[in-house]
Amino acid sequence: MDLLEYQGKQLFARHGLRVSSGEVVETVADAVAAAERIGYPVVVKAQVLIGGRGKAGGVKLAADESEVRSHAGDILGMDIKGHLVRKLWIEHASDIASEYYASVLLDRSAKRPLVMFSVEGGVDIEEVAEKTPEKLIRHHVDPLAGLSREEAVEIARRGGADADVVEGVADALVALYEVWIEEDATLAEINPLIVTPEKEVRALDSKVSLDGNALFRHPDSQGLSDSENEDPIERRAKEEGLQYVKLDGDIGILGNGAGLVMSTLDVVAQAGGSPANFLDAGGGSDAEKIEQAVDLLLANDAVKAVLFNIFGGITRCDEVARGLIAAFEQIKPSVPFVVRLDGTNDVEGRRLLQEAALPHVHAAKTMNEAAEMVVALAAGDSVGAPA
Ligand code: GDP
Ligand code: MN
């Protein structure tokens, strides 16, 4: 679950990280009122779940009331890479001497938390990592011991933080690590972590993702999910109790059981295709659920072909076939489907499909065969007669 900048900063503040005081608003009038309370100059910042707001014109300094009014008016309603700006964060503007970078995330391959730090923050950190990797300090943490103050000081020194702010940077790193651990975050990032002319170290931006599976441990954070900014198909899936994750490709995938869907994604990728989603219809998928799932799959306009991979255990293949037939009566999809039915009542399931003679539906016997067929269909090739 991704947090907006101001929500991340609220978590930061709770753990002793320095942030500027500010207010979140949704109208120009409230932006002006907030700025009057906060004191000029202020920064007007679009609150959307996407980076690069500054470059897109979504972060603006305002010296007085008329500037707040015009910037707030410009930024509210702005579209930043497909994200509509509905909220602004107004905070007291900082003077900046240096812009650093700091983050904590889980390095799965090392099986350890990874703390990263650079004195070249503020810009595209990916570029620093790629072109001058020596300027991005990477430090793995013993998860049982946590990040000690000594380690944090060492990271700040190695990264080349100015001598008079090494202590301040170390404090910030320790606090950021605490945020990551105690809030069950998957990512806690500050870019830029600024140094002011007075040598104060402060988080000017935040990027925090919380582990949705740990939310039950954080009643305070449960209200933070910005459902307006969620992908609309993923939100619908959640409401319907379907496990759906949108991906970048053009082949819709549906299976029963998370493991089977994961391997279906792999097999399709291996066959040269690009999955458009992960969708687990779960065990015991009945006709109604299949219908919902087909509708959901096709809500993504990028989908050019669909692979149904069903392994019948608790799920009965004849039920799935009935669901598919019912769904096709309602939806009449225009993209081709490949259906692989195997396991409990598979013969009956395939027979039902054959009798229904659905347009654009192809049957496959094995997973590999199904993957190759769906990749060909997505590319616009024909694969022989429908089922
Ligand atoms: P992002 O572009 O989405 O990463 O948004 P940021 O919150 O990082 O802001 C972008 C840039 O705006 C920062 O790198 C700063 O250079 C600048 N900026 C943001 N807040 C302030 C501020 O209080 N004072 C000044 N001088 N610049 C700011
Ligand atoms: Mn930033």
Side-chain angles (χ1 to χ4, degrees):
M1 185 178 94
D2 297 335
L3 301 189
L4 293 168
E5 175 198 1
Y6 82 93
Q7 298 169 328
K9 282 179 167 172
Q10 285 169 353
L11 287 188
F12 286 178
R14 244 187 256 168
H15 292 272
L17 255 167
R18 283 169 190 260
V19 291
S20 303
S21 57
E23 294 181 32
V24 64
V25 298
E26 295 184 10
T27 65
V28 173
D30 285 349
V32 171
E36 300 287 333
R37 282 189 290 269
I38 292 161
Y40 295 102
V42 296
V43 205
V44 180
K45 308 184 79 175
Q47 296 301 288
V48 282
L49 295 175
I50 188 90
R53 293 165 301 161
K55 281 184 197 159
V59 177
K60 290 255 167 69
L61 286 163
D64 54 36
E65 188 196 319
S66 79
E67 285 186 3
V68 171
R69 201 176 285 286
S70 77
H71 293 329
D74 289 346
I75 298 174
L76 277 171
M78 190 183 258
D79 183 293
I80 301 183
K81 301 177 204 168
H83 295 252
L84 180 67
V85 182
R86 293 191 177 90
K87 288 180 188 160
L88 300 174
W89 172 246
I90 313 288
E91 75 174 23
H92 189 68
S94 304
D95 289 331
I96 303 176
S98 315
E99 298 196 338
Y100 295 171
Y101 168 90
S103 64
V104 183
L105 50 85
L106 179 66
D107 182 348
R108 288 176 189 277
S109 51
K111 299 177 185 154
R112 287 202 183 298
L114 176 64
V115 175
M116 291 195 275
F117 172 71
S118 177
V119 294
E120 307 254 317
V123 289
D124 227 343
I125 196 67
E126 281 81 16
E127 202 174 299
V128 174
E130 198 178 309
K131 294 192 179 143
T132 48
E134 70 281 0
K135 288 184 176 159
L136 182 66
I137 302 303
R138 297 162 53 90
H139 175 84
H140 287 101
V141 178
D142 177 340
L144 296 179
L147 181 70
S148 70
R149 190 130 205 311
E150 293 69 37
E151 280 174 282
V153 166
E154 178 58 23
I155 294 168
R157 284 223 178 90
R158 263 173 60 210
D162 294 337
D164 48 5
V165 295
V166 163
E167 297 288 323
V169 168
D171 287 341
L173 292 175
V174 168
L176 189 64
Y177 188 81
E178 189 185 297
V179 168
W180 188 79
I181 284 283
E182 292 187 6
E183 302 293 342
D184 285 311
T186 53
L187 171 71
E189 183 184 73
I190 310 173
N191 190 28
L193 177 69
I194 61 155
V195 180
T196 67
E198 296 76 34
K199 306 294 172 191
E200 192 200 311
V201 177
R202 193 187 304 159
L204 218 63
D205 191 7
S206 88
K207 187 172 176 192
V208 176
S209 299
L210 299 180
D211 180 349
N213 293 319
L215 266 187
F216 71 97
R217 298 205 289 209
H218 305 282
D220 289 356
S221 298
Q222 278 164 11
L224 294 180
S225 158
D226 196 36
S227 55
E228 284 170 14
N229 285 331
E230 235 174 11
D231 180 272
I233 307 180
E234 290 189 0
R235 187 173 66 221
R236 212 176 99 195
K238 214 183 281 173
E239 284 162 9
E240 293 173 351
L242 292 164
Q243 299 293 326
Y244 177 95
V245 180
K246 189 148 176 256
L247 302 170
D248 293 333
D250 57 7
I251 298 177
I253 308 281
L254 175 111
N256 61 319
L260 182 67
V261 180
M262 295 285 264
S263 35
T264 310
L265 298 180
D266 284 347
V267 173
V268 167
Q270 230 161 37
S274 178
N277 66 274
F278 170 104
L279 175 52
D280 173 14
S285 322
D286 55 20
E288 194 190 344
K289 210 157 175 198
I290 296 293
E291 202 180 316
Q292 266 179 346
V294 171
D295 207 32
L296 198 69
L297 276 178
L298 297 176
N300 177 358
D301 294 334
V303 168
K304 292 209 197 95
V306 174
L307 172 53
F308 257 60
N309 191 8
I310 300 294
F311 189 81
I314 302 168
T315 307
R316 290 162 40 205
C317 292
D318 58 321
E319 270 287 319
V320 173
R322 280 192 196 93
L324 201 55
I325 293 163
F328 269 57
E329 271 164 18
Q330 298 297 321
I331 301 166
K332 306 203 191 329
S334 54
V335 301
F337 277 59
V338 175
V339 182
R340 178 231 180 191
L341 292 177
D342 196 358
T344 310
N345 296 1
D346 56 348
V347 176
E348 170 74 355
R350 283 197 293 268
R351 191 184 62 78
L352 286 169
L353 280 185
Q354 208 154 29
E355 279 176 12
L358 302 174
H360 321 297
V361 174
H362 306 260
K365 288 190 187 70
T366 69
M367 204 152 124
N368 284 324
E369 189 194 354
E372 275 162 25
M373 280 169 82
V374 81
V375 170
L377 287 164
D381 299 339
S382 79
V383 294

